[in-house]
Amino acid sequence: MNNPSLMIFAVPAIALILVVLMFIYFLQRVGRKDVFKRLVFTILIMAFLFNFVWEVIQMPLYRDAPFSVAHIAFCGLASIADALMVLLIYLSFALVMKNPFWGQNLTLSMILMVMVVGGLGAVAAEMRHLSSGTWAYDSSMPIIPVVNVGLSPVLQFMLLPACIYYLGFRFIIHTVPTAEKS
């Protein structure tokens, strides 16, 4: 981890604004506000926890990323941004599908769409962070040819969002079946 600039906070700030706006939009339209709030909270908490574990586990794949309090705190901040992105993906799909509970019955095609969107977003984010010098990879990081970004952060956003959506609905399943589609 190099010294991050204020620019590193721009994308998460924009994501936060979009998440809040979409949350308000759906909250005004959904029939079961309690279920929707619980779903959003569950996705957010799970996304933070899963991404934090992933971030800490992949630390050795980054240059200058020792297991120190400062770097683990950086992983915590990154996990907050990751959680916002997971929620942004979910709410964006909800807008497209016109259903805030679209993840209740994930199909293979939905999972693949989430994986593609997450993977492309991760590639773009990694390219931006690498070019700005926010971080650099250790020689142990597997690199994806052509785009020259690390495999681990791309897999993170290809795998975790769909898992989080699935598990999030399983966690609140007793209230979601009665939820109205908006």
Side-chain angles (χ1 to χ4, degrees), residues 61-176:
L61 300 175
Y62 288 85
R63 195 175 307 144
D64 302 323
F67 282 101
S68 66
V69 172
H71 194 76
I72 291 173
F74 182 79
C75 288
L77 285 174
S79 299
I80 292 169
D82 294 343
L84 287 171
M85 293 304 179
V86 169
L87 195 51
L88 182 61
I89 293 170
Y90 186 86
L91 293 172
S92 296
F93 272 77
L95 277 175
V96 170
M97 295 182 187
K98 297 179 174 68
N99 179 4
F101 299 110
W102 68 270
Q104 184 174 5
N105 298 306
L106 286 174
T107 64
L108 181 59
S109 63
M110 289 175 176
I111 292 168
L112 291 174
M113 286 188 297
V114 168
M115 291 177 75
V116 167
V117 169
L120 291 173
V123 167
E126 287 298 302
M127 292 173 85
R128 182 176 58 88
H129 287 293
L130 290 168
S131 68
S132 70
T134 307
W135 55 68
Y137 301 136
D138 187 74
S139 60
S140 59
M141 173 70 82
I143 302 296
I144 300 172
V146 180
V147 291
N148 295 317
V149 299
L151 178 62
S152 180
V154 174
L155 283 177
Q156 179 179 0
F157 261 85
M158 289 183 75
L159 301 176
L160 291 186
C163 291
I164 291 163
Y165 306 152
Y166 175 80
L167 292 172
F169 271 102
R170 293 305 147 281
F171 184 74
I172 62 166
I173 196 71
H174 63 280
T175 54
V176 174

Side-chain angles (χ1 to χ4, degrees), residues 8-23 40-52 55 75-93 156-157 161 164-165:
I8 196 171
F9 297 104
V11 172
I14 293 167
L16 177 60
I17 291 166
L18 291 173
V19 162
V20 168
L21 290 173
M22 284 192 270
F23 175 78
V40 168
F41 181 74
T42 300
I43 289 172
L44 195 60
I45 295 302
M46 290 177 91
F48 173 78
L49 294 173
F50 284 30
N51 279 288
F52 183 73
E55 294 286 350
C75 288
L77 285 174
S79 299
I80 292 169
D82 294 343
L84 287 171
M85 293 304 179
V86 169
L87 195 51
L88 182 61
I89 293 170
Y90 186 86
L91 293 172
S92 296
F93 272 77
Q156 179 179 0
F157 261 85
I164 291 163
Y165 306 152

